[in-house]
Amino acid sequence: MGSAPTYIATWNVNSVRSRLQQVLAWLGVNPHIDLLCLQETKVADDQFPVTAFAERGYWVYTYGQKAYNGVAMVSKYPLEDVKAGFSAVLPEMAQLDDQKRLLSAKLHGVRVVNLYVPNGGAIASEKYHYKLAWLACLTQYLAVLRQQEKDILLCGDFNVALTDLDIHDPTGCETSIMASPAERTALERVLNLGFVDIFRQQNPEGGHYSWWDYRGGSFRRNLGWRIDYHFPSVELAQRVTECQIDVTPRRHPQPSDHAPVIIGLANLRP
DNA sequence: ATGGCGAGAGGATCTCGA
């Protein structure tokens, strides 16, 4: 009876131009992916390789800048109600849009929020405080969206390992960037608005990661962190058919240091 | 305590990421 699930992926590609052939190849072997949310595109919008995707039938939505940051959405279908940056919802937060890290749009009735949370540098540094302020602003942003829409998918590179299970070796991680208590609390406040860590719900055991340092053979030894997530709203979580990390591209030569994460959503509006 | 690897900018060797 029901139509096929809608498949949405999130992938920090660490430069879309450097990774272009790998991203196209991955879409080629994963033709079921309806929407791919990209982070760290590292390119201004007028330099984004739109044609390469358009030639393959995808619509492309970009929100980027030169050299740093940048997010984009690559979709089989036209997206609706595209909102770029915090200021589309919170005009008073326009200063946090200097760094292009947030792009949201609707597909098949679902509001997809694609984000790239700041790295944070060192604990207590200026960048660290920027990260916490950014996450606090995200909480405000989502509180507004939550009043407007029930079916929201929050996805991207969050640069926070929610629990010790998300780190290959959590020893001393409370003083480490991406795992400090303040970062975890800031992300928990987001989830407490009514979002679900669906991958962890389906995989209560550790050992599953989405990022591995380029250095020291981390991937070969599976010394990773899980920092890339799909967080469906509690209402949408009922319709999740699967959530998987695809480590295949991380094995390729010159890979991104992140792996894509895929979610399936059943019974969406066509 | 530090660097380790990789990308971008710019044209040698920085900054940044996580």
Side-chain angles (χ1 to χ4, degrees):
Chain A
M1 282 297 290
S3 53
T6 295
Y7 291 96
I8 299 174
T10 179
W11 193 4
N12 179 324
V13 291
N14 186 16
S15 170
V16 70
R17 287 179 293 181
S18 288
R19 224 65 62 204
L20 181 59
Q21 293 311 315
Q22 293 187 45
V23 174
L24 296 172
W26 188 79
L27 286 171
V29 297
N30 292 279
H32 57 290
I33 299 294
D34 298 296
L35 169 60
L36 173 58
C37 296
L38 299 171
Q39 302 91 35
E40 269 204 283
T41 53
K42 294 187 173 181
V43 63
D45 292 343
D46 62 357
Q47 303 289 310
F48 194 99
V50 172
T51 306
F53 293 99
E55 283 173 345
R56 289 162 176 80
Y58 295 96
W59 300 76
V60 178
Y61 303 83
T62 61
Y63 187 53
Q65 66 187 94
K66 182 177 173 180
Y68 303 115
N69 312 314
V71 285
M73 298 166 96
V74 173
S75 174
K76 276 187 195 173
Y77 309 95
L79 300 178
E80 300 164 29
D81 197 12
V82 178
K83 299 179 191 289
F86 287 122
S87 58
V89 171
L90 303 170
E92 70 276 19
M93 293 301 183
Q95 77 281 357
L96 280 176
D97 289 337
D98 287 352
Q99 300 184 16
K100 310 305 184 196
R101 298 177 175 275
L102 179 68
L103 183 63
S104 126
K106 290 182 81 164
L107 171 65
H108 298 170
V110 173
R111 163 69 55 188
V112 181
V113 178
N114 171 26
L115 57 77
Y116 173 47
V117 175
N119 165 287
I123 302 261
S125 67
E126 187 176 334
K127 287 179 187 175
Y128 182 76
H129 293 295
Y130 184 88
K131 179 179 193 173
L132 295 178
W134 199 95
L135 285 167
C137 186
L138 178 66
T139 307
Q140 280 188 258
Y141 173 94
L142 292 171
V144 174
L145 280 191
R146 222 44 197 103
Q147 294 175 344
Q148 299 169 349
E149 341 219 11
K150 282 185 313 192
D151 295 331
I152 304 176
L153 177 66
L154 180 60
C155 70
D157 174 2
F158 288 75
N159 271 324
V160 178
L162 263 175
T163 77
D164 288 359
L165 263 188
D166 301 311
I167 310 174
H168 65 89
D169 178 8
T171 307
C173 74
E174 61 273 3
T175 59
S176 167
I177 195 66
M178 299 196 295
S180 68
E183 291 168 83
R184 285 180 171 174
T185 299
L187 186 50
E188 283 159 8
R189 287 198 185 102
V190 169
L191 293 176
N192 287 342
L193 293 170
F195 295 93
V196 180
D197 182 3
I198 192 72
F199 181 91
R200 182 56 72 213
Q201 193 170 296
Q202 296 181 352
N203 302 272
E205 76 288 358
H208 302 285
Y209 310 118
S210 66
W211 172 82
W212 301 259
D213 200 306
Y214 283 122
R215 299 163 290 191
S218 297
F219 180 69
R220 177 174 46 78
R221 301 190 286 157
N222 198 26
L223 306 182
W225 294 57
R226 193 174 71 100
I227 55 176
D228 302 86
Y229 304 99
H230 283 289
F231 295 140
S233 58
V234 290
E235 297 90 338
L236 184 62
Q238 314 262 348
R239 281 178 280 159
V240 172
T241 59
E242 63 175 285
C243 186
Q244 309 279 350
I245 301 170
D246 182 6
V247 302
T248 313
R250 189 62 179 80
R251 299 194 180 103
H252 295 333
Q254 283 99 48
S256 167
D257 43 354
H258 296 254
V261 188
I262 302 111
I263 194 167
L265 301 168
N267 302 318
L268 300 190
R269 172 169 71 69

